[in-house]
């Protein structure tokens, strides 16, 4: 029998965790639904989880392999995704198990050798996304670069990076992370990016869609440690981005220098080494500073949290400042003031 394991079921979750560990998998920190298959003795012999429209933490006890249990778990999780209204579903797995999931209707988007394979259930999902990027670009050509921004929210630091890239290239593809795991929702972040860069006429704006994910939701459950997870995420990002760059003729990617965050620093180092292997130059731009400190979105969020709104004019463009001072932003400001931690990368 297959059952839902609720987060409040400490014993059930502990048994799920034990099965995962037995099969060499860590419980992922980002999970919003878990199920398990029980045998006649009420022992968990298979499990799987969801986070948003992704499947993760899939495992079958090695003593019960080849009994169709993974197919049962996958069918159940896909019905959960259907109930959520998700027609596009994504899955991360090891290279050794990718053929199995491909046989069940998943298609490979990108891989990092045999470490991690990124799959989706739509055969033409990624190719349709690439076509959409081409349509958004139209007939604009020239030396092309790219920046991927979360902009949580858009700051003078982001603006400085964008202006540098726009000045050094004929065309700049500016991707805004559309994954909603930030304090500021996508529609707000995207609007503030557009408003803050409206004076630059050689920008094409894109949403990242579901193909470029954040470190916050990257599945780390089959990575041996945090650094391995960061490197794998960067390598998968590069594998996906390289296909996008090929379609849009992008030859440069710009990122901001990071001295305070180990995560971002390791990510940038991986890109510096790997992007040139795909014919893409990686340009790391020194961060814009104010009063000797780098301007960052974390600093802005902390200022809002602590009620130090007077420093915002030095940190954000007028368009962002106007939004932060508006009644529209009041719910977000309240969330920031009540949050336990707003300093993250």
């Amino acid at each position: 029998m297959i059952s839902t394991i609720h987060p409040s079921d400490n014993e059930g979750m502990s048994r799920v965790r034990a099965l995962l560990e037995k099969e060499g998998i860590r419980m992922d920190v980002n999970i919003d639904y878990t199920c398990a298959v029980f045998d006649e003795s009420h022992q968990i012999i298979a499990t799987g989880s969801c986070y948003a429209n992704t499947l993760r933490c899939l495992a079958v006890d090695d003593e019960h392999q080849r009994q169709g249990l993974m197919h049962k778990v996958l069918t159940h999780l896909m019905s959960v995704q259907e109930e959520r209204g998700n027609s596009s579903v994504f899955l991360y797995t090891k290279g050794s198990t990718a053929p199995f999931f491909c046989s069940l209707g998943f298609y490979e988007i990108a891989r990092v050798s045999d470490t991690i394979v990124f799959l989706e259930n739509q055969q033409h999902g990624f190719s349709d996304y690439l076509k959409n990027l081409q349509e958004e670009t139209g007939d604009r050509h020239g030396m092309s670069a790219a920046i991927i921004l979360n902009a949580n929210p858009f700051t003078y630091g982001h603006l400085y990076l964008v202006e540098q890239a726009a000045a050094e290239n004929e065309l700049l593809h500016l991707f805004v992370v559309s994954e909603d795991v930030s304090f500021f929702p996508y529609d707000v972040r995207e609007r503030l990016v557009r408003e803050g860069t409206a004076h630059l006429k050689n920008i094409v704006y894109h949403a990242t869609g579901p193909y470029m994910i954040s470190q916050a939701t990257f599945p780390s459950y089959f990575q041996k440690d945090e650094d391995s997870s960061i490197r794998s995420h960067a390598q998968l990002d590069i594998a996906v981005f390289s296909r996008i760059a090929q379609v849009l003729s992008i030859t440069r990617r710009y990122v901001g220098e990071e001295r305070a965050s180990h995560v971002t620093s390791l990510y940038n180092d991986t890109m510096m080494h790997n992007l040139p292997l795909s014919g893409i130059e990686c340009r790391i731009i020194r961060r814009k500073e104010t009063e000797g400190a780098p301007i960052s979105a974390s600093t802005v969020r902390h200022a809002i949290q602590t009620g130090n709104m007077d420093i915002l004019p030095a940190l954000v463009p007028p368009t962002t400042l106007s939004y932060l001072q508006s009644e529209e932003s009041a719910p977000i400001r309240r969330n920031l003031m009540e949050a336990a931690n707003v300093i993250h990368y």
Side-chain angles (χ1 to χ4, degrees), residues 280-301:
I280 303 166
E281 179 186 359
C282 182
R283 298 287 304 275
I284 297 180
I285 304 300
R286 185 177 178 85
R287 289 208 177 213
K288 185 177 179 63
E289 297 183 351
T290 180
E291 297 184 357
I295 296 175
S296 72
S298 289
T299 306
V300 174
R301 296 193 301 271

Side-chain angles (χ1 to χ4, degrees), residues 213-251:
I213 63 168
S214 72
Q215 185 67 33
T217 57
F218 178 72
S220 59
Y221 49 88
F222 44 76
Q223 306 293 304
K224 63 181 181 180
D225 53 43
E226 185 64 23
D227 280 8
S228 296
S229 174
I230 297 165
R231 290 192 185 92
S232 292
H233 180 219
Q235 290 166 346
L236 185 62
D237 179 346
I238 290 164
V240 172
F241 179 75
S242 295
R243 293 186 61 186
I244 293 171
Q246 185 176 15
V247 166
L248 298 180
S249 301
I250 294 169
T251 57

Side-chain angles (χ1 to χ4, degrees), residues 41-102:
S41 303
H42 206 66
Q43 298 300 309
I44 293 178
I45 55 176
T47 185
S49 297
C50 299
Y51 178 74
N53 64 338
T54 68
L55 310 183
R56 47 187 71 194
C57 292
L58 300 156
V60 175
D61 189 286
D62 59 2
E63 296 178 7
H64 295 271
Q65 300 284 343
R66 302 185 185 281
Q67 296 178 12
L69 296 179
M70 183 54 70
H71 187 273
K72 178 190 280 280
V73 169
L74 200 61
T75 300
H76 177 79
L77 294 178
M78 290 300 288
S79 69
V80 171
Q81 293 291 347
E82 185 177 1
E83 290 172 5
R84 292 179 172 185
N86 294 328
S87 57
S88 295
V89 180
F90 300 85
L91 184 153
Y92 306 86
T93 189
K94 298 178 181 179
S96 59
T97 54
F100 170 77
F101 290 109
C102 288

